[in-house]
């Protein structure tokens, strides 16, 4: 750090998933920021932003929940760092809508009984890493480059869409994940499904949809030669990691019956389908690993598709 | 509805409904010139009987009922691809939100709206606890939708991995959250909000 320059420091909205099914995202984010000497202070008493369900049912409620969280965040200094793609999208969308639409803003301010904090900058942690900490400095901080690791960077839906809201990257051809991976010494693969939907919150109500869409994503990553997939969203992680075994059972190797053989081989160009396990990493897990953070403090024990064999194979453990 | 000729008349065209959709979504439906770009990118269109571009077309023709009678709106994943790609700035994702709200307000839950059941339980959790309680969410959904065994095996695995919390504590500021819900209900009663 250059002398005289203030240490980077952020307020932090983890969101519900990061305290439960996405706990390793939270753990690794904290570990990474600590390793980089960037401050992170959790907003006290934050509550659920409503994610996709709230705006599906009731937009006013969704906007109000986010506006209240933004005003809670005002009590903590520093721009607001968000890791979950869904929370990030909802908080940014709320600021955007309320700035554009005065009558909505007034309704929301009645609902939350106070002013909405529309000017608190909300930033995704990837933005903080790549732009504020900076790619060059990140590269310098690497202690254990992720050499030889082929990663499929997966953006999913909400990080860049709709175009005027997240301001994170180009909405059709983003590159921030690839840039980060290169800075960490890993090799981003080129693949077709980096922005396709995984089925998101259908995981509870229509798991069949999730299996179909997530299968296509995993297939595409395997075809591109990836060893693993990198995500920045706990929902994507859940669908691709937790359901990987089920996906294999549903779309896996053709069974031994006649029809299984005929249709199975036809579908897979005559050869058996590639059934490799693909570990799903959070961006912060890979980054922290490259910064030399001990793997024990990155939450790998909570993951279903075990990443350790791959990491050992690449001599990263 | 399928294969039936569509008769456009004052009886079948419900322009009031379309106006509500436009007000709720803040998006015009008339701008659409049916290029189909929204449907081409929609990951869920194969699950829908009316893909996104047809939803807008039906709205242009005042045929809200035909949309609500089907399952399209309940299969939209809110991925925003349509809104992002529309050359005419039709905010289809917001239109889908508006349609879901209007359908729910008019008819309550239906067998196609399991998703909405999950959504409702999610929101109940916010009101009760302040944050999501994923274990309760899954259990309550399975009870209410009658799918008792679904994902039962996934549960213990996730708990042992520390991914599902067995217990949950309430937010300290739960009264403020209740206040938000109450004030929105009040505004709606008084007609001050949609
Ligand atoms: S992309 Fe826009 S203009 Fe084209 S069909 Fe869809 S809504 Fe209409
Ligand atoms: S937001 Fe809904 S309708 Fe639009 S592309 Fe995504 S799934 Fe399809």
């Amino acid at each position: 750090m250059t002398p005289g320059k203030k240490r980077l420091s952020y307020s932090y909205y983890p969101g519900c998933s990061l305290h439960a099914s996405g706990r390793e995202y939270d753990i690794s984010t904290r570990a990474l920021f600590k390793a980089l000497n960037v401050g992170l202070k959790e907003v006290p008493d934050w509550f659920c932003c409503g994610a996709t369900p709230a705006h599906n049912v009731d937009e006013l409620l969704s906007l109000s929940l986010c506006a209240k969280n933004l005003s809670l965040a005002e009590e903590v200094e520093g721009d607001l760092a968000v890791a979950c793609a869904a929370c990030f999208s909802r908080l940014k969308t709320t600021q955007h809508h309320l700035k554009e639409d005065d009558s909505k803003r007034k309704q929301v301010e009645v609902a939350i009984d106070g002013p909405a904090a529309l000017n608190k900058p909300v930033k995704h942690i990837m933005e903080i890493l790549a732009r504020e900490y900076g790619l060059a400095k990140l590269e310098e901080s690497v202690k254990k480059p992720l050499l030889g690791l082929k990663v499929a960077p997966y953006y999913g839906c909400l990080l860049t869409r709709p175009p005027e809201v997240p301001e994170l990257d180009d909405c059709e051809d983003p590159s921030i994940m690839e840039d980060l991976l290169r800075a960490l010494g890993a090799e981003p693969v080129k693949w077709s499904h980096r922005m396709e939907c995984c089925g998101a919150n259908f995981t509870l109500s229509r798991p069949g949809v999730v299996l179909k869409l997530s299968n296509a994503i995993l297939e595409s990553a395997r075809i591109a030669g990836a060893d693993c997939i990198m995500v920045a969203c706990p929902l994507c992680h859940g669908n691709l990691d937790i359901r990987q075994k089920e996906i294999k059972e549903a779309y896996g190797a053709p069974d031994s019956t006649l029809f299984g053989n005929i249709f199975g081989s036809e579908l897979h160009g005559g050869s058996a389908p590639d059934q490799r396990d693909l570990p799903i990493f959070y961006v912060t897990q890979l980054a922290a690993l490259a910064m030399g953070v001990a793997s024990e403090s990155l939450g790998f024990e909570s993951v279903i598709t075990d990443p350790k064999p791959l990491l050992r194979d690449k001599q990263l453990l | 509805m399928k294969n039936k000729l569509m008769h456009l008349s004052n009886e079948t065209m419900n322009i009031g409904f379309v106006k509500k959709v436009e007000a709720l979504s803040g998006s015009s439906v008339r701008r659409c010139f049916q290029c189909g770009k929204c449907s081409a990118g929609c990951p869920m269109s194969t699950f829908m009987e009316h893909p996104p571009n047809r939803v807008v077309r039906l709205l242009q023709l005042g045929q809200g009922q035909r949309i609500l009678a089907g399952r399209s709106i309940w299969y939209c994943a809110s991925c925003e691809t349509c809104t992002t790609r529309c050359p005419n700035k039709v905010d289809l994702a917001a239109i889908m939100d508006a349609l879901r709200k209007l359908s729910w307000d008019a008819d309550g839950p239906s067998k196609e709206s399991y998703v909405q059941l999950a959504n409702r339980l999610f929101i109940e959790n916010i009101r009760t606890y302040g944050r999501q309680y994923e274990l309760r969410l899954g259990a309550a959904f399975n009870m209410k939708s009658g799918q008792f065994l679904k994902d039962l095996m996934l549960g213990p695995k996730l708990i042992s991995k520390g991914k599902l919390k067995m217990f949950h504590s309430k937010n300290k500021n739960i009264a403020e959250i209740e206040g938000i819900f109450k004030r929105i209900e009040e505004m709606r009663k008084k007609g001050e909000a949609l």
Side-chain angles (χ1 to χ4, degrees):
Chain A
M1 186 160 303
T2 42
K5 207 172 161 197
K6 222 175 137 236
R7 173 178 176 249
L8 287 176
S9 180
Y10 297 87
S11 49
Y12 176 46
Y13 179 88
C16 302
S17 296
L18 272 78
H19 274 210
S21 61
R23 62 186 287 275
E24 59 277 22
Y25 198 10
D26 182 51
I27 296 170
S28 55
T29 300
R30 290 175 198 270
L32 173 66
F33 274 58
K34 200 167 160 224
L36 297 175
N37 190 29
V38 178
L40 206 57
K41 186 159 182 283
E42 187 164 338
V43 173
D45 282 326
W46 60 267
F47 50 86
C48 178
C49 72
T52 305
H55 74 81
N56 270 348
V57 186
D58 187 336
E59 202 212 5
L60 180 57
L61 176 66
S62 163
L63 295 172
S64 304
L65 291 172
C66 289
K68 180 72 193 171
N69 273 310
L70 288 165
S71 67
L72 290 175
E74 286 243 292
E75 287 159 30
V76 184
E77 244 184 86
D79 296 352
L80 186 62
V82 187
C84 169
C87 302
F88 171 68
S89 162
R90 290 319 304 161
L91 293 169
K92 292 280 276 193
T93 302
T94 299
Q95 286 187 327
H96 181 80
H97 276 338
L98 298 189
K99 270 184 206 164
E100 301 260 293
D101 187 337
D102 261 354
S103 77
K104 276 259 168 67
R105 185 178 53 75
K106 283 187 191 128
Q107 289 176 14
V108 165
E109 291 184 337
V110 172
I112 66 170
D113 197 18
L118 300 184
N119 295 319
K120 176 97 174 166
V122 176
K123 288 179 178 151
H124 191 267
I125 47 163
M126 291 202 288
E127 203 174 344
I128 293 172
L129 294 173
R131 311 223 176 93
E132 307 202 339
Y133 191 80
L135 285 171
K137 207 165 137 208
L138 197 68
E139 206 174 330
E140 273 170 38
S141 313
V142 168
K143 299 211 172 66
K144 201 161 67 177
L146 309 177
L147 293 176
L149 192 65
K150 290 192 183 155
V151 187
Y154 178 57
Y155 291 87
C157 305
L158 296 175
L159 283 170
T160 61
R161 296 180 190 131
E164 59 293 335
V165 177
E167 302 165 310
L168 177 69
D169 207 342
D170 188 289
C171 68
E172 292 287 18
D173 189 20
S175 60
I176 191 165
M177 282 188 153
E178 281 84 350
D179 294 344
L180 283 169
L181 282 168
R182 273 186 220 105
L184 303 174
E187 183 190 327
V189 303
K190 279 206 163 78
W191 64 312
S192 52
H193 277 55
R194 61 187 191 139
M195 301 185 71
E196 292 295 316
C197 175
C198 67
N201 70 331
F202 284 112
T203 196
L204 191 58
S205 44
R206 301 194 196 282
V209 166
V210 170
L211 297 188
K212 183 171 184 228
L213 298 180
S214 298
N215 176 56
I217 293 164
L218 291 164
E219 277 264 296
S220 159
R222 287 195 192 99
I223 290 169
D227 302 317
C228 57
I229 296 178
M230 180 174 92
V231 300
C233 170
L235 265 182
C236 303
H237 191 281
N239 287 338
L240 295 174
D241 172 51
I242 298 172
R243 300 220 177 248
Q244 204 164 132
K245 192 162 156 262
E246 258 178 285
I247 292 170
K248 278 191 190 173
E249 280 160 14
Y251 291 93
D255 59 34
S256 55
T257 64
L258 180 62
F259 286 117
N261 275 335
I262 293 173
F263 294 119
S265 57
E266 207 171 306
L267 275 173
H268 293 95
S271 58
D274 183 349
Q275 288 271 288
R276 267 178 305 139
D277 280 343
L278 285 183
I280 314 297
F281 291 103
Y282 285 107
V283 54
T284 43
Q285 286 178 312
L286 287 181
L289 207 59
M291 297 309 149
V293 176
S295 64
E296 292 76 40
S297 42
L298 295 179
F300 287 141
E301 73 288 347
S302 305
V303 172
I304 306 283
T305 309
D306 188 6
K308 285 182 207 113
L310 170 67
L311 293 176
R312 261 184 237 117
D313 190 40
K314 303 279 175 189
Q315 289 163 358
L316 294 169
L317 268 195
Chain B
M1 284 286 179
K2 226 178 178 182
N3 299 330
K4 237 182 164 187
L5 278 181
M6 186 159 62
H7 294 290
L8 299 181
S9 67
N10 282 341
E11 281 85 66
T12 64
M13 287 176 69
N14 184 346
I15 298 304
F17 179 84
V18 179
K19 289 216 168 102
K20 265 195 210 158
V21 172
E22 292 194 321
L24 265 170
S25 65
S27 171
S28 154
V29 303
R30 275 153 294 182
R31 285 209 195 113
C32 167
F33 57 21
Q34 288 294 301
C35 67
K37 221 175 153 189
C38 48
S39 301
C42 173
M44 305 302 288
S45 68
T46 53
F47 299 100
M48 300 172 174
E49 75 280 69
H50 301 304
N53 72 307
R54 202 143 74 203
V55 168
V56 196
R57 185 69 185 130
L58 286 168
L59 283 174
Q60 289 176 333
L61 298 173
Q63 304 292 306
Q65 276 318 308
R66 290 176 79 101
I67 304 171
L68 297 191
R71 79 180 94 84
S72 296
I73 56 173
W74 304 115
Y75 273 87
C76 159
S78 301
C79 73
E80 303 268 357
T81 311
C82 48
T83 299
T84 299
R85 294 189 180 160
C86 175
N88 293 325
K89 289 204 180 334
V90 176
D91 190 349
L92 252 169
I95 289 174
M96 292 287 186
D97 270 353
L99 288 165
R100 280 185 287 258
K101 179 170 188 301
L102 291 173
S103 166
W104 189 276
D105 287 354
D107 303 321
S110 69
K111 86 174 189 305
E112 291 297 355
S113 64
Y114 269 173
V115 183
Q116 205 69 332
L117 177 59
N119 290 343
R120 284 273 149 174
L121 293 167
F122 190 96
I123 289 169
E124 259 176 45
N125 263 355
I126 304 180
R127 197 167 185 166
T128 320
Y129 300 100
R131 292 180 192 174
Q132 283 315 311
Y133 181 12
E134 290 163 326
L135 191 63
R136 178 178 179 273
L137 188 65
F141 179 77
N142 285 358
M143 294 287 285
K144 295 205 177 168
S145 63
Q147 299 169 294
F148 297 103
L149 293 176
K150 194 176 67 68
D151 285 350
L152 204 63
M153 296 321 293
L154 221 47
K157 195 167 182 187
L158 297 184
I159 292 169
S160 71
K161 292 269 182 188
K163 280 182 168 286
L164 285 181
K165 284 198 252 177
M166 284 297 285
F167 302 101
H168 196 84
S169 54
K170 278 187 188 179
N171 263 44
K172 280 204 285 318
N173 54 353
I174 192 81
E176 289 182 45
I177 300 164
E178 180 59 27
I180 295 177
F181 280 88
K182 282 253 169 67
R183 284 188 289 267
I184 291 179
E185 282 163 6
E186 281 297 305
M187 274 193 273
R188 293 224 164 98
K189 249 189 242 148
K190 289 193 236 151
E192 288 165 5
L194 283 170

